[in-house]
Amino acid sequence: MMVTSESGHVSILVNSRHPDARKNFSTAHELGHYFLHRALSPVFVDSKQVFFRDAKASAGTHWQEIEANAFAAELLMPEAKIRELF
C-alpha cells in the first residue's frame, strides 16, 4: 500500500510476514505507482480514496497494475545478469 497524506508525505507499507523477495517486489511495485501514477490516482487515506485489491487487479489486466509490475521487475533486475544475457 502506498499512502499519501494531505501534506504530501508518502509512505509505503508492506506485509512484514511476507518473504524478503515479495517485500522487495511490493515496495518496487508501489514505487512504480508513485513515479508513474501519482498524478492520476494517488491513495489519499485522509480523504478516504483507497483503492483495494479486487478481481480486476488480480486478473492482471488493469493498465496501472501492469505498468507498476513492469516498473518493479525492471528496477529489481540485476544489471550484471542482464549484461551477461545480452
Side-chain angles (χ1 to χ4, degrees):
M1 166 185 264
M2 182 181 70
V3 179
T4 305
S5 69
E6 288 182 1
S7 66
H9 179 81
V10 177
S11 297
I12 293 175
L13 308 159
V14 296
N15 189 330
S16 63
R17 291 180 275 175
H18 285 174
D20 287 344
R22 179 65 194 167
K23 289 188 283 191
N24 290 342
F25 188 86
S26 294
T27 300
H29 175 95
E30 296 306 328
L31 283 172
H33 282 308
Y34 176 78
F35 287 112
L36 301 170
H37 309 131
R38 69 179 181 261
L40 300 174
S41 59
V43 177
F44 293 99
V45 171
D46 294 338
S47 63
K48 305 294 188 248
Q49 291 178 324
V50 179
F51 300 95
F52 294 101
R53 188 159 180 79
D54 58 12
K56 186 175 182 181
S58 297
T61 58
H62 190 267
W63 68 272
Q64 289 176 332
E65 294 302 309
I66 292 168
E67 288 182 352
N69 283 340
F71 180 95
E74 292 174 17
L75 181 66
L76 296 172
M77 284 183 194
E79 181 181 353
K81 187 65 174 176
I82 299 301
R83 290 187 181 279
E84 175 188 320
L85 293 171
F86 291 98

